[in-house]
Amino acid sequence: MRTQVAIVGGGPSGLLLSQLLHRKGIDTVVLERKTRDYVLGRIRAGILEVGFVELMREAGVAERMDQECFVHDGTVISYGDEQFGINFKELTGSHVVVYGQTELTRDLYDAREAVDGKIVFNTENVTINDADTDSPNVTYSVDGTEHRIDCDYVAGCDGFHGVSRQTIPLTVRKEYEKVYPFGWLGVLSETPPVHEELIYASSGRGFALCSMRNENLSRYYIQCSLSDSPEDWTDEAFWTELKRRIPADAAERLVTGRSIEKSIAPLRSFVTEPMRWGRLFLCGDAAHIVPPTGAKGLNTAASDIHYLHHALVQFYETGDTDGIDLYSERALARIWKAERFSWWMTNLLHRFPDQSEFDLRMQRAEIEFLRVNREAQSVLAQNYVGLPY
Ligand code: RFL
Ligand code: PHB
């Protein structure tokens, strides 16, 4: 088989790239290790920057999102029983939207299938060959039969545990990593959200987050130990702990119910450089990971896709390789800023096992400064709604 761009990974990055290129008449094949249902079963991000929404519109897949998403003009930060708002609209003129990763991935799959876009599921042994030459190829097997795709370029959109990043030799690749000494226990429940905006809560017992998907679907998280497993936490224990970490008025209003999903995610900051090796490009989680505290994971994946699809369109329309040559530099410049913001929000709001009394006072002083200082709020707001592409 031959295609112009072989895309490894059928998560949001790979599907969005494939759909954007299709709109410009560029042929792609997406290789996905799992099934469509498996990919859609993963409950992940929920907050989208306006830049992401624009990209979905450009890809022609924003119709349902535009109807069903919720616009959030601000967020709440609490510490103990104190709380204050950060007004994104007033501080930046912008906002974020609530629309689940599951829903936007479903929209992208539907759009690809509507035009018979080539997506191969259940691929095994995906191998990227000759990426440092002018004629790369990707080999893989499905049900024991070997296949090969010859292509111009390969987009590595296969997440943190994929093969694309590993294809870049260690002599070229440099990785930066910070692993945090805790995780997030997340619960999805068919209950109304406790508040119309998200609540990021710092408490003596650890961090908590009240988020949502729609008016009858809530997403809550609590900071937990890395040695915990979801089975250790009954629904009742989860709700009791959450109530202890959020302001009393929210705890009183909180509607609890049966969890329909419960999982633990470890927290990590990670960047690999460069994001391009020859004709292979890394995008999204394949290249970088942020702790979820700033809601930047999926949004950084989108900015990579923005730079890459413009670079590829420029090449196919004009033969100019400027965008391709600058892809890694442009993507990384924005990624490092999102890394900084996510690391900062994580440090601001979590309890760390080795924190001294002094460290705790510093953390509190920083939150109190944020509470009263408009410029500090503005810095948070600009980063949260998303830095320009
Ligand atoms: P994805 O979504 O991981 O998709 C990669 C796809 O590649 C497939 N794959 C392969 N396919 C073929 N061959 C191989 N060898 C392959 N290896 C892997 C995988 O099956 C998968 O379908 O990466 P992508 O597209 O870059 O999208 C990134 C986002 O998914 C990610 O940044 C966010 O979901 C991060 N994230 C969160 N972000 C937020 O903003 N808020 C959150 O609450 C949030 N929660 C999360 C998260 C990520 C998690 N992970 C990765 C463990 C919770 C979790 C558990
Ligand atoms: C979510 O709704 O899953 C969510 C929202 C904000 C975050 C992280 C996760 O910072």
Side-chain angles (χ1 to χ4, degrees):
M1 193 177 358
R2 176 161 178 93
T3 190
Q4 288 171 295
V5 183
I7 299 176
V8 185
S13 301
L15 295 170
L16 183 57
L17 179 64
S18 159
Q19 178 66 9
L20 285 162
L21 293 178
H22 162 76
R23 303 266 292 183
K24 296 286 184 180
I26 299 165
D27 189 59
T28 63
V29 176
V30 175
L31 303 177
E32 168 54 50
R33 185 167 56 178
K34 303 284 189 182
T35 62
R36 175 186 158 128
D37 284 348
Y38 183 93
V39 175
L40 290 176
R42 297 189 287 220
I43 309 295
R44 290 184 176 177
I47 298 285
L48 306 182
E49 295 171 359
V50 173
F52 197 141
V53 176
E54 283 300 324
L55 219 46
M56 290 289 280
R57 290 192 186 130
E58 212 175 319
V61 284
E63 200 179 319
R64 189 164 72 99
M65 170 189 281
D66 281 335
Q67 277 166 15
E68 295 180 10
C69 77
F70 291 83
V71 170
H72 278 206
D73 288 330
T75 194
V76 173
I77 296 198
S78 75
Y79 56 112
D81 270 335
E82 306 287 330
Q83 52 189 303
F84 57 96
I86 307 277
N87 190 326
F88 305 146
K89 195 175 174 187
E90 215 175 273
L91 293 159
T92 69
S94 192
H95 58 264
V96 291
V97 307
V98 174
Y99 192 68
Q101 180 166 335
T102 313
E103 301 310 313
L104 73 87
T105 308
R106 188 189 307 281
D107 296 342
L108 285 162
Y109 271 128
D110 289 349
R112 295 311 298 127
E113 280 163 16
V115 293
D116 287 331
K118 279 167 264 163
I119 305 179
V120 186
F121 291 101
N122 297 313
T123 56
E124 289 170 33
N125 307 319
V126 170
T127 311
I128 301 164
N129 307 298
D130 303 332
D132 56 340
T133 73
D134 285 343
S135 45
N137 69 81
V138 181
T139 52
Y140 62 97
S141 55
V142 178
D143 294 335
T145 307
E146 289 255 353
H147 301 268
R148 169 175 163 144
I149 303 178
D150 291 290
C151 53
D152 301 331
Y153 291 103
V154 182
C157 302
D158 49 353
F160 186 63
H161 301 287
V163 294
S164 301
R165 187 174 67 253
Q166 314 295 343
T167 304
I168 303 180
L170 279 170
T171 46
V172 175
R173 179 162 42 110
K174 177 149 176 62
E175 298 184 342
Y176 302 83
E177 183 173 52
K178 180 175 179 66
V179 176
Y180 298 85
F182 41 73
W184 276 21
L185 169 65
V187 156
L188 190 68
S189 74
E190 286 169 327
T191 51
V194 68
H195 187 63
E196 59 191 14
E197 289 178 344
L198 269 62
I199 304 175
Y200 286 87
S202 166
S203 96
R205 300 182 65 90
F207 173 78
L209 172 62
C210 306
S211 182
M212 66 199 70
R213 292 293 176 270
N214 61 45
E215 62 275 284
N216 199 40
L217 194 56
S218 296
R219 182 73 166 153
Y220 296 103
Y221 298 94
I222 56 174
Q223 175 186 347
C224 67
S225 163
L226 279 174
S227 57
D228 287 1
S229 77
E231 300 78 55
D232 299 337
W233 286 87
T234 61
D235 287 355
E236 202 190 330
F238 178 86
W239 294 121
T240 303
E241 187 58 33
L242 177 66
K243 284 182 187 177
R244 286 175 170 159
R245 298 186 187 191
I246 60 179
D249 63 329
E252 248 166 60
R253 281 197 316 272
L254 182 76
V255 181
T256 63
R258 194 176 62 81
S259 67
I260 56 172
E261 197 264 357
K262 198 184 280 162
S263 53
I264 292 182
L267 267 67
R268 160 194 329 264
S269 297
F270 175 87
V271 180
T272 191
E273 290 185 348
M275 284 172 61
R276 171 193 168 209
W277 183 60
R279 288 178 173 253
L280 167 66
F281 305 96
L282 301 182
C283 308
D285 280 14
H288 42 76
I289 298 287
V290 287
T293 325
K296 288 286 161 247
L298 189 54
N299 291 302
T300 47
S303 65
D304 294 349
I305 299 303
H306 166 88
Y307 296 121
L308 184 56
H309 105 270
H310 280 295
L312 290 169
V313 169
Q314 182 192 33
F315 170 74
Y316 283 110
E317 286 182 353
T318 68
D320 197 336
T321 60
D322 255 22
I324 283 171
D325 296 336
L326 286 171
Y327 168 70
S328 180
E329 198 181 309
R330 284 185 176 148
L332 284 165
R334 192 173 187 278
I335 293 308
W336 276 113
K337 294 182 193 103
E339 290 282 344
R340 186 210 66 81
F341 175 63
S342 308
W343 162 85
W344 174 79
M345 278 273 277
T346 304
N347 284 310
L348 183 72
L349 299 171
H350 289 74
R351 283 287 165 278
F352 287 72
D354 59 354
Q355 255 172 333
S356 66
E357 291 288 320
F358 180 82
D359 296 334
L360 285 168
R361 285 301 178 122
M362 288 299 99
Q363 216 178 26
R364 190 182 173 96
E366 188 157 9
I367 296 180
E368 285 178 350
F369 182 68
L370 184 63
R371 178 186 190 136
V372 298
N373 188 285
R374 190 182 158 89
E375 280 71 32
Q377 291 188 5
S378 171
V379 170
L380 189 157
Q382 287 172 56
N383 281 279
Y384 199 93
V385 301
L387 298 175
Y389 284 173

